[in-house]
Amino acid sequence: MTNKQYFQMMFRNAPLWVGLIGILVSLGFYFVPELFHVEQTDFFGLFLTNYVFLQLYFVFLWASGNFKRGRKGRNTFAIYTTLCLISCFLLNKSVGIFSASAGWWAFMLALCCINHIAYGFKEVFPPVVRMIMAFILGIASCCFLYLVFCLLPGYLVGAIGGLFFGIGLHVFIPLLCLIYNINLASKYVWFRKKQLYAYLGGIGFVVVVIAFYIGLWCNAVSSINRAYLMPDNEELPGWENVARKTTANAMVERVLKAKLVYQVSDIADMDLIDGIFDRPRQSTFLDARQLHDPLIMIASMTGISYVPETEAAKILSAMFDSRQETQERLWSGDQLSTIQVHTNADIWPSLHMAYTEKTLNVYSDAPNAGSWNSEEAIYRFHLPEGGVVTSLSLWINGREEKGVLTTKEKATEAYKTVVGREARDPGVVHWQEGNTVTVRVFPVSGQESRQFKIGITAPLLQEGTRLVYQNIWFQGPDAANAREDVHINFQENPVEVELPGLFTRTQNTFSSVGPYDADWQISCLDPGVHSNLFSANGQSYFVMPYKPEMGGAFVKTIYLDINQSWTLAEFKAIKNLRIPMKVYAENGWQPATDELFENLQKDRYSLFPVYKVADRETALVITKGNVMSPNLDDLSESTFYKELQHSFGTPGKLLLFNLGGELSPYMRTLKEYRLFRYAEGDVNELGKFMSLKQFPADIENDHRVVIEPAGITINKEENEGRSNAPDHLMRLFAYNHIMQKMGPQKVSDTSLIAAAKESYIVTPASSLIVLETQKDYDRFNIHDDINSLKNAAIHGKGAVPEPHVWALILIGLVCMLWFKKKRAAAI
C-alpha cells in the first residue's frame, strides 16, 4: 500500500478524525480559563462538559468496534487515552492534586501523547523517524510511571470515587497510558534490535538526567545547610550566611524556592488523600502560582534545605534581587499588569534638580467577580540618591484624590485596616532603604484598571560638565506591553541636550510616545548654579555649588570591606601604602593577609561591622561597590542590627573610601544616614589622601545639607525673602536634613515629624496615604497641616487649586469685571 492509499484509508476512518477534532475541543476547554477569565467555581462545569463528550466518544468507539485488536483499534485507542489524560488535568483545575505544570513537563506529556498517536501511522515513516519514536516511547514509559507512582496512594479513594459516574477513575488514567505505552513497545519495538536500543536509550536518558539532577540538588542542599547551620559571624542570622557565601546558580535558586514556588515531595506525611507531595497552594509567599516540576519533586525526596520559608525569601531577595516579589501582601496581585505610564517632569538645570510625576494605569486580568476577586497592586520605585517622594494621588470614582501626609505608623494602620478588613479604596507610599519607595494601591477589580500618580523631587546627576536627568524606574505588575508618553519640561533654556530614542522638541519641552522603557536618561550642559531662593514660614532656602572641603585624616589603621568585586591588584596596591590593615574574619579583627583576602573575596557581598571599629578618629574603611546585599530591615532581629543601632550614639564619623561601583544597599543606607565622611576614586587618589593626611570634611549642619551626586549644597537661613525658585528646594533640604538627624533608629522625633509634614515629604517616619472618605481620615486621626506645602505639582510652588477652586476663582473674576463695568456705566 502506497502512502497515498494509506492516508486515503485514514481519511475514511471517521472515529479517528472525530477523536482528533475532539482533542482540539478538549484543549480548548483546558485553556478557556486563561483565555476568557473563567472563575474558578466554573472549572468543574468545564470539566463535566468535556467529560460528557469523552463518554460519548467512548460509546461511539465501542459501538463501531474500534476497541478491537488491529491497526484500526490502535489508532483510535491512542486518541482516547490522550483525551482521558486531558480530562485528568482539566479535573485537576478543580480538585488541585497537582500544581500547575512546569513548561518543560507540559511539553513532554504532549510529546508522549503525540508519539502514541503517531504509532498509528508508523508505516509511512522512514526508519530514522521510527528510531526517534522508539526513543520517545522509552521517555514516555518513565513519564507515565512517574505519574502512576505519584497517584498510587490515591487508588483506593479513586476506586470508591469511581462509583460516582466514573469520575474517580481518573486517578487510573496514567496507569492506562503506561499499559498502552508498554503494549506499543512490546509489539513494535522489543523484537527489533535497533529500535529496542533506542527505546532503552530513552529510558537510560531519563535515568541519567534524574541522577545528574539529584546530584546537583544534593550538592546545593548541602552547601545551603552547611552555611545556614555554621555561620561565620555569630551576630548575624544563618540565612544571611547562606546569601553571602552560597554560589548563586539556578539549582540553588530552585532549592530555595522549594515549597515557596515548587511543589515538593512529602514522603513522611504520605496518606491516601494527599499522595506523596504537598497539596498545591493557590498563591505563595512569592505571589506566584505554585509549580509542579517532576525533577524537583523527585530530587526533593532526598531532602530539602533547613531554611524556613520566610528566611528563604530573604535569601532570594539578597541573592537574586527578588525583593519586589517577596513583599508582604494582604491580597494577591498575580493577574495584574501595567498598561499605561505617563511621565511628566520639570527640570531646573541651574538648581541641579527636577520634579517628576509618574501616572500609572494598572489592569487586572482576573474575572469580574466583585470585591472577592480584587487584587492589590504593589510597586517599588527606584529614586536617584537624595531624591524624595513629594506627592501621591489615587483616582477614586473617576476623580483624582490627593494624598495626606501622616506618620508611617498611622498610614500603615489605616491601610491594613481598610484593605485587610473592609476591602475599600486606599493608596499609600512608604519609604524603603536603598533609595526606594513602595506604593500600594487597592482594590484593582477584575477586568478593570486603576490609576495613581506619584511625584518625586530628585537632584540631577552631575557628570563632569553635564547634568543628567535619570528616569525614575519601577518594579511591579508586568509592564512589558505598557505604553508610555513622556513630557520633559525644561524651566530654563537647555544647552546641548542629548536625548534617547525618538524625542520631539517644542521650545523647551521634549516629548516621546511609544512602548514603555525603564532605562533612559536626558542630559544637558551644566549652566552653573544661578541666583535662587525659596521662602516659607520664616525660612529661606537657596542652592550653592558643592566644593569639597578637606579636613585632617590621621589614619593609623585601614579596615578592608572585602567581597567578590575586589581584585588582588587593588589589595596589593593598598598594602603598599604601608599602613596596618585589618579585616573582619572568624568573629574578630585579623591582620589582612593574602590568605584571608582570598577567602573573603569569595563572598558575594559584605556587611562591614562599623560598630566594631573602636578607633574611629584614626580609622579608614575601604569598600568597593556591590549592588547586592540584604537591607537593614532584613536583619532587624539580629544582634548585628541591635549593636549597629546602639553605635549610632558614638561621636565621630568614619572615613569611607569607595574604590568604585555602586554601593550595596547596606552601605548606601548607612551613607544616606550620614555615618561617613565619604570619598571615591581609584587607589592612586586614595594614596594622595593618605600622603597629604587629608580627607573630604563633613560640612553638613542644621543649616546646610550636601547633595554630592548633584554637586550642590542646599542652605537654610532664618529670614524670609522673595521666592524666585520652586518649593523643591525646601523639600530636598528637609529630606536630607531629616536623614542626617534620624539615623537607622528611625526615631519618631516630634521635630523631625513636624519638618516632614511641613515639607510634605515621605521619610522613614512619614508616609503619604489616600483614603476614600473624610470619615476615614477622621477615624484614624489623619489631618493636614495648615502651614505645610501640600502635594507637589508640575509647574507648581506647592499645592495648586483643585478644579472646583479654579472655577470659583474664575466666577469671582467675572463678577468683579461685571460690577466694575456696571459702575462705570452708571457714572
Side-chain angles (χ1 to χ4, degrees), residues 385-675:
E385 184 177 342
V388 59
V389 171
T390 51
S391 71
L392 176 70
S393 295
L394 177 65
W395 273 254
I396 300 176
N397 298 323
R399 176 177 174 175
E400 180 184 2
E401 301 290 346
K402 293 184 177 294
V404 175
L405 195 90
T406 186
T407 64
K408 185 173 183 177
E409 290 76 14
K410 285 185 180 181
T412 300
E413 179 192 3
Y415 184 84
K416 288 188 174 181
T417 300
V418 174
V419 172
R421 301 176 190 172
E422 302 168 14
R424 292 190 291 113
D425 287 74
V428 68
V429 56
H430 289 308
W431 180 92
Q432 300 289 331
E433 294 176 21
N435 304 119
T436 63
V437 296
T438 56
V439 177
R440 294 171 179 262
V441 173
F442 183 86
V444 185
S445 302
Q447 303 300 294
E448 294 182 4
S449 66
R450 292 299 302 272
Q451 183 173 318
F452 72 92
K453 179 173 69 180
I454 181 173
I456 295 133
T457 300
L460 301 175
L461 179 64
Q462 187 181 48
E463 292 184 346
T465 60
R466 300 191 68 82
L467 295 175
V468 180
Y469 170 84
Q470 299 166 296
N471 181 37
I472 310 294
W473 64 283
F474 62 84
Q475 294 171 283
D478 181 35
N481 297 317
R483 300 289 295 175
E484 180 179 28
D485 58 302
V486 181
H487 300 281
I488 306 297
N489 311 298
F490 280 86
Q491 301 304 300
E492 307 149 13
N493 188 33
V495 179
E496 294 187 18
V497 179
E498 292 184 1
L499 300 165
L502 301 175
F503 272 79
T504 59
R505 179 171 184 172
T506 305
Q507 296 181 339
N508 289 339
T509 299
F510 299 84
S511 304
S512 173
V513 178
Y516 170 70
D517 179 15
D519 186 19
W520 58 268
Q521 61 183 33
I522 290 177
S523 70
C524 68
L525 276 182
D526 182 359
V529 176
H530 296 170
S531 174
N532 58 81
L533 188 75
F534 175 78
S535 296
N537 301 331
Q539 309 284 342
S540 292
Y541 304 85
F542 58 93
V543 177
M544 295 290 289
Y546 169 57
K547 296 179 180 179
E549 298 178 16
M550 305 305 291
F554 304 97
V555 176
K556 293 182 180 179
T557 309
I558 291 177
Y559 294 86
L560 302 182
D561 181 30
I562 298 171
N563 54 56
Q564 67 179 14
S565 62
W566 282 66
T567 66
L568 183 60
E570 290 167 336
F571 174 71
K572 289 183 175 180
I574 296 172
K575 225 177 176 182
N576 292 334
L577 295 176
R578 307 298 180 187
I579 299 175
M581 299 189 304
K582 292 183 180 181
V583 294
Y584 193 81
E586 300 176 359
N587 295 306
W589 294 114
Q590 309 286 342
T593 63
D594 291 357
E595 183 181 357
L596 280 176
F597 173 81
E598 188 177 332
N599 290 334
L600 293 172
Q601 193 187 22
K602 296 175 183 176
D603 291 352
R604 301 185 62 255
Y605 61 85
S606 48
L607 292 176
F608 186 82
V610 296
Y611 59 90
K612 288 187 177 291
V613 179
D615 51 337
R616 289 197 174 196
E617 295 80 9
T618 59
L620 168 67
V621 179
I622 302 178
T623 188
K624 193 170 183 185
N626 191 320
V627 295
M628 305 296 283
S629 81
N631 283 343
L632 278 179
D633 279 346
D634 297 332
L635 307 167
S636 59
E637 301 300 321
S638 67
T639 304
F640 181 96
Y641 182 83
K642 294 170 185 175
E643 292 291 337
L644 181 64
Q645 279 191 318
H646 182 71
S647 71
F648 271 66
T650 305
K653 294 188 176 184
L654 277 170
L655 306 183
L656 178 68
F657 189 86
N658 180 14
L659 286 175
E662 184 181 343
L663 290 176
S664 69
Y666 167 73
M667 276 295 190
R668 196 158 62 239
T669 300
L670 296 185
K671 180 175 180 284
E672 195 171 24
Y673 284 135
R674 271 54 176 190
L675 252 69

Side-chain angles (χ1 to χ4, degrees), residues 590-775:
Q590 309 286 342
T593 63
D594 291 357
E595 183 181 357
L596 280 176
F597 173 81
E598 188 177 332
N599 290 334
L600 293 172
Q601 193 187 22
K602 296 175 183 176
D603 291 352
R604 301 185 62 255
Y605 61 85
S606 48
L607 292 176
F608 186 82
V610 296
Y611 59 90
K612 288 187 177 291
V613 179
D615 51 337
R616 289 197 174 196
E617 295 80 9
T618 59
L620 168 67
V621 179
I622 302 178
T623 188
K624 193 170 183 185
N626 191 320
V627 295
M628 305 296 283
S629 81
N631 283 343
L632 278 179
D633 279 346
D634 297 332
L635 307 167
S636 59
E637 301 300 321
S638 67
T639 304
F640 181 96
Y641 182 83
K642 294 170 185 175
E643 292 291 337
L644 181 64
Q645 279 191 318
H646 182 71
S647 71
F648 271 66
T650 305
K653 294 188 176 184
L654 277 170
L655 306 183
L656 178 68
F657 189 86
N658 180 14
L659 286 175
E662 184 181 343
L663 290 176
S664 69
Y666 167 73
M667 276 295 190
R668 196 158 62 239
T669 300
L670 296 185
K671 180 175 180 284
E672 195 171 24
Y673 284 135
R674 271 54 176 190
L675 252 69
F676 309 116
R677 287 169 58 186
Y678 179 80
E680 61 182 42
D682 57 22
V683 178
N684 291 330
E685 292 175 88
L686 174 63
K688 292 177 184 178
F689 286 139
M690 294 300 96
S691 63
L692 296 173
K693 295 184 179 181
Q694 289 188 329
F695 205 79
D698 174 25
I699 63 172
E700 290 188 315
N701 52 47
D702 288 344
H703 296 277
R704 176 167 58 180
V705 297
V706 175
I707 305 180
E708 182 191 353
I712 59 172
T713 67
I714 303 180
N715 306 271
K716 181 177 77 169
E717 291 183 350
E718 302 293 332
N719 59 61
E720 190 164 347
R722 183 176 179 179
S723 296
N724 59 5
D727 60 20
H728 301 291
L729 289 179
M730 177 178 172
R731 299 180 196 268
L732 279 183
F733 177 90
Y735 175 71
N736 286 276
H737 182 62
I738 288 171
M739 296 302 293
Q740 172 192 355
K741 291 294 184 183
M742 182 172 287
Q745 299 97 328
K746 300 179 186 175
V747 177
S748 299
D749 184 277
T750 305
S751 63
L752 297 181
I753 294 294
K757 286 188 173 182
E758 182 184 31
S759 301
Y760 237 68
I761 55 176
V762 173
T763 70
S766 60
S767 299
L768 276 166
I769 188 168
V770 180
L771 296 175
E772 189 172 0
T773 66
Q774 185 58 47
K775 289 182 179 179

Side-chain angles (χ1 to χ4, degrees), residues 346 348 355 491 725-728 731 792-800:
D346 284 345
W348 293 268
Y355 171 67
Q491 301 304 300
D727 60 20
H728 301 291
R731 299 180 196 268
I794 290 290
H795 301 306
K797 294 182 174 61
V800 296

Side-chain angles (χ1 to χ4, degrees), residues 241-256:
N241 200 53
V242 175
R244 179 160 43 89
K245 291 195 168 295
T246 308
T247 303
N249 56 45
M251 187 55 70
V252 167
E253 184 176 8
R254 283 172 171 78
V255 171
L256 291 170

